[in-house]
Amino acid sequence: MPANKAVVYEGPGKVEVHETSYPEFELMDGPGVNPANVGRKLPHAAILKTVATNICGSDQHMVRGRTTAPPGLVLGHEITGEVVETGPDVEFIKTGDLVSVPFNISCGRCRNCKERNTHICENVNPDRPGSAYGYVDMGGWVGGQADYALVPYADWNLLKFPDKEQAMEKILDLAMLTDIFPTGFHGCVSAGVGPGSTVYIAGAGPVGLAAAASAFLLGAAVVIVGDLNKERLDQARSFGCEAVDVSRGEPRDQIEEILGVPEVDCAVDAVGFEARGHGRESGEEHPATVLNSLMDVTRAGGALGIPGLYVTGDPGAHDDAAKQGSLSIRIGLGWAKAHSFVTGQCPVMRYNRQLMTAILHDKVQIAKAVNATPIPLDQAPRGYHEFDEGAARKYVLDPHGLIPKAA
C-alpha cells in the first residue's frame, strides 16, 4: 500500500503536510467527520492518484480561523487524478482513467441529484443537504490535497477525460473544472450574462477571474472586475477586462467612466463574507459591502449571481450578528429594483462536461486567465501564505511531479 501525505489544517494561520492514512473503502473516524458517517461502507468509491489539487479561497476561510473547522482536518476539494483502484460496485470507471472530481459530493440517487442540484445532495451529509471534500460541516469526507484521495459514488461523480494524452497536455486548464471554472460560470449564468451584456464582477481572486473568463465565453460585451488588489486587477486586464479599484470608492462612478452609465446588466459576487469596505473603509471588514454595492450598480430587473461564500458560523466576525451569518443587507433596494438573487454552491456537474469540451477545443484558456501556478505538495504552506497575502495566482499542488512533464 503506497505511502500518503496530505495538507492538514492545524489551527488559525497554520497548515502542515503530514503523513496520513491511505484511503480505504470505508469512512473512518477523524477530525470533522460526522459521527453518523463513521463506518460508512464505500463499495461504490474509487481511489485516485492525485495529479492536481488546488488551493481554494474557501480553504483560506478555514485557515484564517473564520469557520468552526477543527484542527487536524485534511484540506482540499479541488481534485484531478488517475484512478488506481475501484470498489466492487464500480461498473464503468476503470483503473487508469484520468478524471475530474466535482467538489460537490453527491449520490446520484436522491431527488435533488436527479433534478441536477448536486450541490444539495440529501444523502452524503447527515446534518444538511450538500457536501464537499475536506470542508467544515460537510460530513467529514477526507480532503484531496494529498497523494491519494477517495471519491464515493465514482460512476456518478467522476468526469472521465476522453483522451488521456490530450488531457495531460491541458491539465492545468482541466484542473480548474473541479470548482472555480464551473463556479464562476454558474455565477454568470445565474446573473443572466449573455451576448452583448455588460457585467460587473466583484472580486479578482481566482473565482472572480474565472467568472470574467466565463462572461466572455457567454458573449458579454464588457466585463468589469472590481478589487482592492492592484496585481489581481492587472491580471484581469491581461485578458480583456476593465478594472475598478474599489479602494478609490464605490464602484458606481468608475463604472460610469467605463460605460457612460453607472449601471450594468448583470453582477456577480465572487468575494463572500470576508468583504472589505470601499474607499476610506477599504481597510476594514464590512461583510455586506459587496452585496449592497451589487444591488446599487445592477439595473432594475437585473440579476445577481452569488457564488461567493457566506457561512452560518463565523467565529472571527466583528459583531455578534455576523458571527451567525446575519448581515446588514439592503434587501429593500433589491426589492425596489426587482432583482433576482441566486446563492449557494455551484452544482458542478451541471456545467463541467461542456466546459471540458470548451477547454479541449481551445475555446477558453482558463489556466492563463487565473494564472494557474503548480507547486509541489510539500510547498503547500508557502502557497497558502502567498495566496493569503494577495498573490494573483491560482496555486495548483502537484503531489507526484506530473504537471511539469505535461506542460
Side-chain angles (χ1 to χ4, degrees), residues 147-236:
D147 290 322
Y148 295 90
L150 183 135
V151 176
Y153 305 103
D155 282 328
W156 167 254
N157 281 305
L158 294 178
L159 174 65
K160 177 185 173 182
F161 300 136
D163 184 307
K164 194 171 183 179
E165 184 175 344
Q166 180 195 26
M168 287 303 295
E169 291 174 356
K170 297 178 178 291
I171 196 64
L172 274 180
D173 292 281
L174 294 170
M176 302 304 120
L177 289 173
T178 61
D179 183 351
I180 66 163
F181 192 12
T183 293
F185 194 85
H186 177 61
C188 289
V189 170
S190 301
V193 177
S197 298
T198 58
V199 187
Y200 177 65
I201 297 166
V207 170
L209 296 172
S214 299
F216 284 125
L217 192 61
L218 288 163
V222 184
V223 179
I224 305 168
V225 179
D227 205 289
L228 300 161
N229 182 313
K230 181 182 182 301
E231 185 182 1
R232 290 181 171 181
L233 289 175
D234 287 343
Q235 180 63 27

Side-chain angles (χ1 to χ4, degrees), residues 56-406:
C56 181
S58 298
D59 298 321
Q60 288 284 19
H61 293 307
M62 290 188 290
V63 173
R64 293 187 190 114
R66 298 300 298 269
T67 72
T68 55
L73 185 73
V74 175
L75 299 170
H77 55 269
E78 301 188 17
I79 311 162
T80 307
E82 180 184 10
V83 177
V84 294
E85 190 175 353
T86 58
D89 290 354
V90 177
E91 186 175 0
F92 304 111
I93 288 292
K94 305 298 182 185
T95 299
D97 287 346
L98 188 63
V99 296
S100 178
V101 183
F103 80 89
N104 326 109
I105 303 172
S106 57
C107 71
R109 296 156 166 80
C110 70
R111 173 179 175 174
N112 285 339
C113 285
K114 290 178 179 180
E115 293 177 352
R116 301 183 74 203
N117 291 318
T118 55
H119 57 310
I120 44 174
C121 174
E122 297 173 340
N123 290 330
V124 288
N125 183 357
D127 283 342
R128 64 173 73 96
S131 190
Y133 304 89
Y135 211 83
V136 59
D137 296 331
M138 288 289 186
W141 300 88
V142 178
Q145 289 176 9
D147 290 322
Y148 295 90
L150 183 135
V151 176
Y153 305 103
D155 282 328
W156 167 254
N157 281 305
L158 294 178
L159 174 65
K160 177 185 173 182
F161 300 136
D163 184 307
K164 194 171 183 179
E165 184 175 344
Q166 180 195 26
M168 287 303 295
E169 291 174 356
K170 297 178 178 291
I171 196 64
L172 274 180
D173 292 281
L174 294 170
M176 302 304 120
L177 289 173
T178 61
D179 183 351
I180 66 163
F181 192 12
T183 293
F185 194 85
H186 177 61
C188 289
V189 170
S190 301
V193 177
S197 298
T198 58
V199 187
Y200 177 65
I201 297 166
V207 170
L209 296 172
S214 299
F216 284 125
L217 192 61
L218 288 163
V222 184
V223 179
I224 305 168
V225 179
D227 205 289
L228 300 161
N229 182 313
K230 181 182 182 301
E231 185 182 1
R232 290 181 171 181
L233 289 175
D234 287 343
Q235 180 63 27
R237 291 188 185 98
S238 73
F239 60 97
C241 300
E242 301 287 346
V244 163
D245 180 355
V246 296
S247 70
R248 290 172 48 193
E250 292 296 326
R252 187 179 185 87
D253 293 340
Q254 295 175 67
I255 288 173
E256 185 169 19
E257 291 173 9
I258 295 165
L259 296 177
V261 294
E263 291 185 326
V264 292
D265 298 322
C266 320
V268 177
D269 174 2
V271 178
F273 75 103
E274 286 193 67
R276 295 190 175 275
H278 296 160
R280 294 179 179 178
E281 296 182 334
S282 60
E284 305 169 12
E285 192 168 297
H286 293 277
T289 295
V290 168
L291 292 172
N292 289 332
S293 69
L294 293 193
M295 286 185 275
D296 181 46
V297 303
T298 303
R299 67 174 181 84
L304 279 61
I306 309 172
L309 177 68
Y310 290 87
V311 294
T312 56
D314 175 9
H318 293 177
D319 62 74
D320 290 338
K323 288 179 180 179
Q324 306 299 318
S326 180
L327 310 181
S328 298
I329 297 169
R330 295 183 65 195
I331 193 65
L333 175 60
W335 189 93
K337 297 178 79 172
H339 284 156
S340 299
F341 301 79
V342 177
T343 66
Q345 291 182 22
C346 164
V348 171
M349 292 176 68
R350 194 179 296 176
Y351 308 107
N352 63 350
R353 185 174 298 277
Q354 299 94 314
L355 295 178
M356 173 188 72
T357 303
I359 289 169
L360 294 177
H361 290 273
D362 299 317
K363 299 302 180 186
V364 64
Q365 293 181 301
I366 188 65
K368 184 177 180 180
V370 303
N371 197 15
T373 304
I375 59 174
L377 184 71
D378 61 10
Q379 291 185 24
R382 174 177 70 86
Y384 270 94
H385 174 73
E386 292 179 0
F387 189 33
D388 192 47
E389 291 292 307
R393 298 177 182 274
K394 174 67 172 177
Y395 284 105
V396 180
L397 303 178
D398 180 13
H400 299 280
L402 297 174
I403 294 175
K405 298 174 188 175

